[in-house]
């Protein structure tokens, strides 16, 4: 049987690794060792790290499972564990919930209210509750509620449990993307683009999100610079599948050859990604890119990952585009059924 020293060695090794599958695998093994050895506090520690690592390296389902265990253990023995760490984990989970169409609207609202009650009971500002209500409302296509929550959280003071300013600014920018106000999008993006706000994922996300607003405003030279910089930041990372989709959406209109390069370099990250919403958007943006590219290079054979589950001819780009489009439409239907509207289908264009 593994010993406590084995657990510590696994955790020490995990702490020395960057976020990614290797670190996540090490943490999962540490949690298994702790479980087998009956080391409850250590098992909780490992799962707390799993939630953070999985959230930020493309494995939201693993994060959700680990957090469910963590929350149950906290409720059994709240005096044994740190509520601050738990509530940070709760925020990350709320940010990913809507990506899973099997999680109902009622369940999301139930968890949001539970989160809000816990935050209040611990003496934290209600700002985070209204901020996550804002985010979830955007995700499910309720822009009226998103606007009300936006106005509410903006009036409240930040505290040490608030999300970083860069992440909040990016989410506020996303609201105006959904509202169709491209000028306002770019106004909100200014402090990020000027380097006054940044974090581990910003400006990475922002640089891809602003490409289509810039394109619609005719500012393609500016967009090209942001596309190049943005792609350098996210290349080779499986947590940026949605950003790859936004890159391809823009490049399909301006430089399909470069778009195909992005597709061939990033498809391996999308095909097995645990975030079904990001995968849906990626597949939706792949289809028109392929259709545009076949007009320019009809003999091209797409380089697919060896394990990609497509039995057709990769040289028939029209049929391959249909494959991606059909996958995206079927996925969007599930979200629309859950949300009770056509919001997600409308995002596919």
């Amino acid at each position: 049987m593994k010993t406590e020293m084995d657990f510590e060695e696994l955790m020490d090794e995990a702490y020395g690794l960057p976020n990614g599958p290797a670190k996540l695998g090490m943490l999962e093994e540490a949690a298994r060792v702790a479980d087998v050895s009956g080391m409850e506090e250590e098992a909780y520690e490992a799962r707390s790290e799993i939630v953070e690592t999985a959230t930020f390296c493309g494995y939201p389902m693993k994060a959700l499972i680990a957090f469910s265990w963590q929350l149950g253990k906290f409720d059994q023995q709240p005096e044994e564990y740190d509520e601050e760490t738990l509530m940070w984990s709760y925020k990350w989970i709320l940010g990913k919930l809507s990506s899973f169409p099997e999680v109902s609207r009622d369940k999301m609202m139930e968890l949001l209210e539970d989160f809000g009650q816990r935050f209040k009971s611990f003496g934290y500002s209600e700002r985070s509750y209204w901020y996550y209500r804002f985010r979830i409302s955007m995700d499910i296509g309720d822009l009226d509620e998103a606007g009300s929550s936006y106005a509410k959280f903006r009036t409240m003071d930040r505290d040490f449990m608030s999300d970083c300013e860069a992440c909040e600014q990016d989410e506020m920018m996303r609201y105006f993307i959904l509202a169709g106000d491209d000028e306002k999008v770019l106004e909100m993006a200014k402090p990020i683009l000027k380097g006054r706000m940044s974090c581990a994922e910003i400006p990475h996300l922002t640089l891809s999100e602003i490409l289509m607003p810039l394109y619609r405003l005719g500012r393609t030279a500016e967009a090209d610079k942001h596309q190049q910089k943005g792609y350098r930041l996210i290349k080779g990372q499986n947590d940026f599948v949605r950003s790859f989709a936004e890159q391809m959406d823009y490049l399909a209109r301006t430089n399909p050859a470069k778009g195909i390069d992005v597709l061939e370099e990033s498809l391996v990250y999308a095909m097995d990604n645990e975030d079904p919403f990001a995968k849906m958007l990626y597949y939706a943006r792949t289809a028109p890119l392929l259709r545009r590219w076949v007009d320019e290079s009809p003999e091209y054979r797409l380089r697919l990952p060896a394990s990609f589950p497509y039995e057709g001819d990769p040289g028939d780009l029209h049929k391959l585009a249909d494959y991606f489009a059909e996958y995206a439409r079927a996925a969007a239907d599930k979200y629309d059924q859950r949300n009770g509207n056509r919001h997600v289908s409308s995002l596919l264009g």
Side-chain angles (χ1 to χ4, degrees):
M1 181 177 291
K2 296 287 186 178
T3 65
E4 184 173 353
M5 181 58 70
D6 294 314
F7 171 84
E8 295 297 342
E9 289 173 352
L10 286 165
M11 292 298 288
D12 285 345
E13 189 166 349
Y15 286 136
L17 294 172
N19 278 349
K23 179 175 182 176
L24 186 57
M26 197 71 64
L27 291 169
E28 289 177 322
E29 176 61 13
R32 189 194 68 79
V33 168
D35 288 343
V36 170
S37 304
M39 300 156 55
E40 291 190 356
E41 291 186 15
E42 288 80 0
Y44 188 94
E45 175 191 353
R47 285 180 171 86
S48 182
E49 294 297 327
I50 287 171
V51 171
E52 180 173 359
T53 302
T55 297
F56 295 105
C57 71
Y59 295 92
M61 182 56 76
K62 290 181 183 293
L64 183 57
I65 292 170
F67 179 74
S68 296
W69 185 98
Q70 190 184 10
L71 187 62
K73 188 62 65 177
F74 180 90
D75 285 343
Q76 290 173 13
Q77 299 174 294
E79 69 283 353
E80 296 293 327
Y81 304 106
D82 174 37
E83 84 278 354
E84 181 181 325
T85 301
L86 179 79
M87 297 311 290
W88 271 105
S89 294
Y90 213 151
K91 292 199 303 179
W92 293 329
I93 294 302
L94 287 176
K96 295 293 186 180
L97 271 182
S98 64
S99 292
F100 299 98
E102 60 270 29
V103 180
S104 69
R105 283 183 68 145
D106 287 346
K107 187 61 177 179
M108 282 189 283
M109 292 301 110
E110 176 188 327
L111 290 171
L112 177 64
E113 293 305 318
D114 177 70
F115 166 82
Q117 290 170 11
R118 290 174 188 267
F119 240 59
K120 189 174 182 179
S121 71
F122 295 138
Y124 304 141
S125 169
E126 290 185 77
R127 189 178 196 277
S128 290
Y129 164 78
W130 287 103
Y131 172 67
Y132 277 90
R133 191 177 186 90
F134 164 64
R135 288 184 55 177
I136 290 173
S137 297
M138 283 196 292
D139 292 342
I140 63 177
D142 189 345
L143 291 190
D144 288 340
E145 178 58 40
S148 297
S149 298
Y150 172 84
K152 187 81 172 178
F153 92 80
R154 292 281 285 163
T155 66
M156 297 179 171
D157 292 335
R158 295 175 56 83
D159 65 3
F160 70 98
M161 291 299 289
S162 297
D163 279 26
C164 82
E165 290 186 85
C167 288
E168 287 189 352
Q169 191 75 12
D170 188 78
E171 289 294 332
M172 290 186 286
M173 189 189 77
R174 183 164 71 94
Y175 171 72
F176 291 104
I177 291 175
L178 294 175
D181 189 341
D182 291 332
E183 293 284 2
K184 187 66 174 180
V185 169
L186 298 178
E187 179 184 331
M188 299 300 290
K190 280 182 180 178
I192 295 173
L193 300 180
K194 292 181 178 296
R196 296 200 297 266
M197 293 182 177
S198 64
C199 67
E201 292 190 318
I202 305 296
H204 309 50
L205 298 175
T206 313
L207 291 169
S208 296
E209 290 164 338
I210 62 171
L211 295 178
M212 286 307 298
L214 285 168
Y215 175 81
R216 287 189 290 266
L217 293 170
R219 295 162 60 175
T220 54
E222 187 178 346
D224 285 341
K225 294 178 181 178
H226 292 312
Q227 184 275 318
Q228 293 170 18
K229 180 179 179 181
Y231 190 62
R232 285 197 300 270
L233 289 174
I234 64 176
K235 184 177 180 179
Q237 299 187 59
N238 70 343
D239 193 33
F240 291 98
V241 168
R242 187 166 178 171
S243 297
F244 293 133
E246 290 160 346
Q247 293 259 330
M248 292 190 299
D249 192 22
Y250 172 72
L251 292 170
R253 293 164 168 82
T254 60
N255 192 339
K258 184 179 286 189
I260 291 295
D261 288 341
V262 172
L263 171 60
E264 291 183 332
E265 291 171 357
S266 61
L267 180 55
V268 66
Y269 304 119
M271 56 184 269
D272 294 324
N273 198 272
E274 278 197 352
D275 185 335
F277 189 84
K279 182 175 180 178
M280 175 201 68
L281 286 181
Y282 184 99
Y283 278 37
R285 303 309 180 219
T286 297
L289 171 62
L290 289 174
R291 293 189 179 110
R292 175 71 185 276
W293 182 235
V294 74
D295 292 338
E296 297 192 13
S297 186
E299 304 301 319
Y300 193 83
R301 296 181 63 82
L302 195 72
R303 291 189 291 273
L304 296 171
S307 58
F308 189 74
Y310 179 71
E311 297 179 357
D313 178 6
D316 189 338
L317 298 189
H318 284 297
K319 287 188 177 179
L320 190 55
D322 289 342
Y323 169 86
F324 283 106
E326 288 166 8
Y327 180 99
R329 281 195 297 269
D333 285 343
K334 294 179 181 178
Y335 289 107
D336 288 344
Q337 291 171 17
R338 190 270 309 278
N339 296 339
N341 55 41
R342 300 291 292 172
H343 167 67
V344 173
S345 290
S346 72
L347 298 178
L348 304 191

